[in-house]
Amino acid sequence: MTVLAGPGHFGHELRRWRTRRRVSQLDLAIRADTTQRHLSFLERGRSRPGRAMVVRLAEALGLSLRERNELLLAGGYAPVYAETSLDAPELGPVREALGRILDGHLPYPAVVVRPYGELVAANAAFGVLTQGAAPALLEPPVNVLRLALHPDGMARRVVNLVEWGRHITGSLRDRARRSPDPALDAFIAELDGYVPDVEPSADHLGFAVPLRLRAGEGAASPELRLITTLTSFATAVDVTLAELRLEAFLPADEETARILAQRS
């Protein structure tokens, strides 16, 4: 059931998002091609926004499609962005395209995930990451971020667990600052509990963190050095597609490339 709100609720939500994005009324007014006076009236509930104005404000604030729908509801309008099940027939071409991309990335691991790391699809090389993980962590829905840091998952094979763990939780905290969500806060707290509470080494680069993963269970196993890339559907107008992320792992050195090619 869709519940439409009114001007007062819209004003509160607009001010909340503007404050969260740290944008002044004047800056937002310029971005949305309106006046600061009109924006002030909207935030105080003295004016009712048109649907086009709500969309312009949401775009100027950099809101996700899901958040834009929520702002439209707050303004008294029905959502304009569909949220189609990934299993729906109309998304069949998208599923096929994702499958081709995943297979084309072999012999290197690649996954498609929803927000907060929920696994949607993976290629055959995903086994490099799941090797030795507890069966409970591999039961659907699999969360690849929990799998990466959980002591019964990949953690015991991750050589640089502190740096890699903080890389993951840092990215989630950035998202939480931009789009607050109590569920995300709880998930970050869970992941923090898996990461050792020690300072990173002196040569830690912060923004450039390769995953250093032992290929097997033993300490003598060769070390894989992997870097990751993230791809999104930048032009998607469907909430489901806009929230999907393709994470592809690439070898950071020739030895890693050789080992992964042999495993395939």
Side-chain angles (χ1 to χ4, degrees), residues 173-192:
R173 282 192 174 88
D174 287 341
R175 181 186 181 111
R177 279 191 289 269
R178 291 182 56 82
S179 302
D181 182 351
L184 178 55
D185 293 338
F187 185 49
I188 293 172
E190 177 194 341
L191 296 184
D192 277 335

Side-chain angles (χ1 to χ4, degrees), residues 42-246:
L42 291 176
E43 288 191 355
R44 291 153 59 189
R46 295 183 59 184
S47 293
R48 179 186 177 90
R51 189 174 73 164
M53 174 58 68
V54 177
V55 172
R56 291 213 309 270
L57 288 169
E59 183 175 350
L61 287 167
L63 302 188
S64 68
L65 297 192
R66 183 179 299 279
E67 292 161 349
R68 295 182 192 194
N69 277 344
E70 292 171 355
L71 193 62
L72 281 161
L73 285 170
Y77 299 101
V80 298
Y81 302 103
E83 184 175 359
T84 309
S85 170
L86 194 58
D87 297 328
E90 54 265 41
L91 293 188
V94 173
R95 294 193 300 273
E96 292 178 7
L98 287 173
R100 287 194 295 270
I101 293 172
L102 290 173
D103 289 342
H105 193 67
L106 291 169
Y108 312 133
V111 296
V112 177
V113 297
R114 291 190 175 95
Y116 312 166
E118 182 184 338
L119 182 67
V120 173
N123 66 8
F126 184 53
V128 172
L129 306 180
T130 63
Q131 179 179 333
L137 292 173
L138 301 179
E139 293 179 0
V142 175
N143 187 290
V144 296
L145 301 182
R146 181 179 290 114
L147 176 68
L149 301 183
H150 197 284
D152 294 330
M154 294 167 53
R156 61 177 175 269
R157 291 196 295 131
V158 177
V159 178
N160 59 336
L161 182 59
V162 174
E163 292 85 356
W164 181 248
R166 293 188 180 184
H167 170 68
I168 291 176
T169 57
S171 298
L172 290 175
R173 282 192 174 88
D174 287 341
R175 181 186 181 111
R177 279 191 289 269
R178 291 182 56 82
S179 302
D181 182 351
L184 178 55
D185 293 338
F187 185 49
I188 293 172
E190 177 194 341
L191 296 184
D192 277 335
Y194 303 143
V195 181
D197 188 19
V198 297
E199 290 300 319
S201 60
D203 59 352
H204 174 57
L205 297 179
F207 67 93
V209 182
L211 170 60
R212 298 172 55 195
L213 183 70
R214 292 189 185 93
E217 291 291 326
S221 297
E223 181 181 306
L224 304 174
R225 296 178 62 89
L226 300 163
I227 56 177
T228 61
T229 63
L230 287 174
T231 305
S232 62
F233 291 87
T235 58
V237 292
D238 186 283
V239 174
T240 300
L241 296 185
E243 292 182 341
L244 292 181
R245 296 292 183 271
L246 171 68

